[in-house]
Amino acid sequence: MSKTTIVRFAPSPTGRLHIGNVRTALLNWLFARKAGGQFLLRLDDTDRTRSTEEFAKAIRDDLAWLGLDWDDEFRQSNREARYAETADRLKASGRLYPCYESEDELDRKRKRQMARGLPPLYDRAALRLSLADRTKLEAEGRKPHWRFRLANAGPGADPASPEADIMPTRVEWEDLVRGSQHVDAGSLSDPVLVRADGTYLYTFTSVVDDIDRAITHVVRGEDHVTNTGVQIQIFEALGATPPAFAHFSLLVGKDGEALSKRLGSLSVAGFREAGLEPMAVNSLAALIGTSDAVEPRLSLAELAASFDFAKLSRSPSRFDVTELDAINARLLHMTPYGQVADRLAELVGADAEQFWLAVRGNIRRFADVHGWRQVILGQITPVIEDAPYLAAASAVLPTEPWSDATWTQWTDAIKSATGRKGRQLFHPLRLALTARENGPEMKLMLPLMTRGRVAARLRGEIA
Ligand code: GLU
């Protein structure tokens, strides 16, 4: 039996969700739901100064608005004891070693290496410190930070051996989006996992969490590919089998620029305030950069059914916020009444379904229904271009009850009575009855308007 799929979405509660992290959340969610697995929410809140409870709440609200439910939630700030005991294991096995260089010293080392044309990699000087050296440094008041000793001396070499030089070692994995991947551990400095103040870095905490929560797939942006090379080694150093990885390409702006600068204006909160539909955001976020057409989908279930990592492109995808508007409009045009009944109930009353079917093709945002409600069921000032013609039309106005057939019946009668056809026949009627140049089909609106209102408008009365 294969094990249950478990994925996690791991935002830092240091800001609002934006289109980039919506995509991360959504790709994880769709994959988990399609597999019948679990989707966990992990708050990466180890940065105490920038993480806030307000942002954590906002993230939950935004996910809920999008319809992305989670099976469990946990936060890194509650797990420090677990990180400490796991770090102790790495210290005991020699994979985590204490270093005492200050930022300045490290900076000078890097500059010297670069001046000699060498890559600015940490030289592992701390591995050569004797116990006496360390005692002396600590007596001077220096507190160690801890680096993870990358295995990069080739197979069979003792990774903890101080003699093992920095040599290229490939960390390899089969990425679900990018195919066969490797990171050359010889091109990386041993990463710091524990700071001098005892706090842990994400590179480490993420692996500990992924092991403890039995995460089966890590789905994230390709900006994490190098991290993956390091993290796979940490999984292995802890005796765990690494999860599968899927790194999707990042979104760029419509001119190819990095999206990060404009993310503020691309927040979920912003989309919600602009009156966009969650499924418009979900459809675009899920389908952009895939081999499927970017088009509105009515439900997350529908998106999940067609989800496949193999459809994700490896090159960056252009995100244009105006596309979101277009998708929103197309989504509304095809939305069945059942999906908006709640929202229309108070606004429209008894004829809500006919009302929706009449107007949905003419709105771009749901809030546009207010304008059409006013036209169809409220008061407007008619636009009268040709009063005698409208009087003639009024004279042949059918009696109620009205149906979808009434408009044709009426306009046929007007045609016989006046000899008009085409735009000359129709347009003055639309202007008088709606005060607008364009709009929903008259045949759908007319039965909702009622005869009394129509007759008054034809006389030019505010009705
Ligand atoms: N907090 C990390 C981020 O937002 C999580 C990355 C990961 O999925 O491992 O980039």
Side-chain angles (χ1 to χ4, degrees):
M1 217 181 76
S2 62
K3 43 182 185 169
T4 313
T5 297
I6 308 177
V7 300
R8 80 297 193 280
F9 171 53
S12 296
T14 54
R16 301 295 303 246
L17 293 188
H18 51 69
I19 188 69
N21 34 46
V22 166
R23 194 154 162 257
T24 308
L26 193 59
L27 297 180
N28 273 285
W29 190 94
L30 294 171
F31 174 64
R33 293 295 177 244
K34 184 175 186 185
Q38 294 182 19
F39 172 81
L40 311 183
L41 173 60
R42 179 181 96 197
L43 294 171
D44 283 3
D45 62 347
T46 48
D47 183 343
R48 291 288 176 82
T49 53
R50 293 175 56 231
S51 301
T52 71
E53 212 35 61
E54 287 71 44
F55 283 132
K57 180 180 182 304
I59 287 170
R60 282 185 221 110
D61 290 348
D62 288 345
L63 289 175
W65 181 75
L66 291 165
L68 304 178
D69 55 342
W70 53 101
D71 298 291
D72 195 9
E73 176 187 332
F74 63 107
R75 51 178 62 211
Q76 295 196 319
S77 58
N78 285 341
R79 291 180 38 78
E80 273 168 27
R82 184 67 186 144
Y83 302 143
E85 98 198 16
T86 312
D88 283 346
R89 280 169 57 203
L90 290 179
K91 289 176 188 174
S93 66
R95 292 301 291 275
L96 204 53
Y97 63 94
C99 302
Y100 297 84
E101 295 91 343
S102 66
E103 263 315 313
D104 274 356
E105 286 161 352
L106 290 171
D107 204 41
R108 282 199 295 277
K109 275 189 195 195
R110 283 192 287 266
K111 286 192 176 123
R112 279 199 301 274
Q113 286 168 314
M114 294 206 290
R116 288 163 53 208
L118 297 170
L121 294 182
Y122 179 60
D123 61 5
R124 292 177 163 168
L127 275 180
R128 288 181 279 273
L129 294 173
S130 67
L131 193 57
D133 296 333
R134 291 182 49 192
T135 313
K136 184 163 167 276
L137 285 163
E138 289 185 22
E140 284 167 11
R142 296 219 193 195
K143 288 221 175 341
H145 54 275
W146 297 77
R147 287 187 191 260
F148 178 71
R149 192 183 192 315
L150 289 168
N152 55 8
D158 171 7
S161 148
E163 287 76 41
D165 266 330
I166 295 173
M167 283 167 46
T169 302
R170 285 155 69 97
V171 181
E172 296 178 358
W173 73 94
E174 199 52 39
D175 197 282
L176 292 166
V177 176
R178 295 159 61 91
S180 167
Q181 291 293 294
H182 70 270
V183 167
D184 174 8
S187 68
L188 304 174
S189 292
D190 286 345
V192 175
L193 300 189
V194 189
R195 296 187 190 90
D197 65 3
T199 58
Y200 301 92
L201 281 103
Y202 149 80
T203 315
F204 175 63
T205 53
S206 182
V207 172
V208 179
D209 294 341
D210 289 345
I211 295 173
D212 287 353
R213 301 305 297 246
I215 298 300
T216 56
H217 298 76
V218 169
V219 180
R220 58 190 179 187
E222 66 182 8
D223 48 335
H224 285 288
V225 164
T226 305
N227 280 340
T228 296
V230 171
Q231 289 179 327
I232 285 177
Q233 288 208 356
I234 302 177
F235 279 103
E236 285 168 351
L238 290 168
T241 307
F245 289 90
H247 294 92
F248 50 84
S249 64
L250 301 181
L251 296 181
V252 293
K254 69 176 187 322
D255 302 314
E257 76 280 13
L259 215 51
S260 51
K261 294 182 198 72
R262 303 174 34 240
L263 286 177
S265 61
L266 301 175
S267 68
V268 176
F271 299 150
R272 181 168 19 175
E273 276 152 29
L276 292 167
E277 302 297 307
M279 276 313 298
V281 178
N282 287 333
S283 298
L284 183 60
L287 297 172
I288 192 169
T290 71
S291 51
D292 286 335
V294 176
E295 60 188 13
R297 299 280 178 87
L298 287 168
S299 70
L300 284 166
E302 202 186 310
L303 281 173
S306 64
F307 180 81
D308 190 341
F309 284 124
K311 291 181 178 173
L312 289 174
S313 153
R314 297 186 198 182
S315 43
S317 316
R318 283 169 199 260
F319 174 77
D320 179 356
V321 74
T322 61
E323 218 180 318
L324 197 47
D325 280 303
I327 290 197
N328 196 73
R330 288 169 59 202
L331 175 73
L332 290 167
H333 300 171
M334 65 192 236
T335 298
Y337 170 65
Q339 288 198 7
V340 291
D342 289 354
R343 287 194 275 173
L344 284 177
E346 242 174 78
L347 186 70
V348 184
D351 295 324
E353 180 159 13
Q354 291 95 308
F355 173 86
W356 177 247
L357 297 179
V359 308
R360 66 176 178 179
N362 282 269
I363 57 176
R364 301 188 63 80
R365 303 274 165 106
F366 185 80
D368 297 345
V369 297
H370 292 275
W372 290 115
R373 199 208 87 89
Q374 191 65 24
V375 167
I376 298 171
L377 303 167
Q379 279 202 334
I380 56 157
T381 306
V383 174
I384 305 296
E385 275 195 341
D386 184 345
Y389 170 66
L390 296 173
S394 188
V396 294
L397 195 57
T399 50
E400 284 173 323
W402 282 0
S403 71
D404 285 6
T406 306
W407 172 253
T408 310
Q409 201 191 325
W410 182 34
T411 50
D412 282 350
I414 301 172
K415 194 170 171 182
S416 311
T418 65
R420 290 200 191 199
K421 52 184 194 239
R423 189 176 159 84
Q424 282 202 309
L425 168 69
F426 296 111
H427 199 59
L429 299 174
R430 179 178 287 280
L431 283 178
L433 299 185
T434 71
R436 300 198 192 190
E437 291 283 340
N438 305 297
E441 280 187 79
M442 292 301 301
K443 100 178 178 163
L444 298 179
M445 285 192 288
L446 193 70
L448 294 165
M449 284 179 171
T450 70
R451 194 172 191 280
R453 186 184 278 113
V454 170
R457 288 180 183 177
L458 291 171
R459 290 193 297 271
E461 291 165 19
I462 296 174

